[in-house]
Amino acid sequence: MAFAFGLVHGLGFAAALGPLRLPPDGLAVALLGFNLGIEAFQILIAALFLAALLPFHSSAPYGRRVIPAGSIAASLVAGLWLVDRALGLSLAPF
């Protein structure tokens, strides 16, 4: 599933680079650099969140409130973004 998702994103980015008429080697380097940059940034954000929440991990409210609240918030943002993109509303600034 992750491979397919990454492949679709990579192909979408490749299509966006098409008008630049990069040579095949330049396109491969641009795609590789973009994908590695995105992955590195995602790892950085996850590490920062984990480091910030680690001190609270053993507390009881963390398991009962923080984890479900975070999951609900992430689900709501993802759902709103999906609806925004699917309907072409362009409400989300990202």
Side-chain angles (χ1 to χ4, degrees), residues 80-94:
L80 291 172
W81 196 5
L82 173 70
V83 169
D84 183 49
R85 289 287 184 110
L87 299 179
L89 301 176
S90 299
L91 299 174
F94 40 85

Side-chain angles (χ1 to χ4, degrees), residues 2-3 5-7 9-10 33-51 81:
F3 174 76
F5 187 74
L7 183 62
H9 269 105
F34 174 78
N35 286 326
L36 289 177
I38 292 294
E39 293 300 326
F41 187 71
Q42 288 176 346
I43 290 170
L44 173 69
I45 296 297
L48 291 174
F49 270 99
L50 287 173
W81 196 5

Side-chain angles (χ1 to χ4, degrees), residues 43-77:
I43 290 170
L44 173 69
I45 296 297
L48 291 174
F49 270 99
L50 287 173
L53 294 175
L54 191 60
F56 306 105
H57 185 266
S58 60
S59 68
Y62 179 83
R64 285 195 318 261
R65 293 198 176 118
V66 175
I67 292 175
S71 296
I72 290 169
S75 297
L76 286 174
V77 170

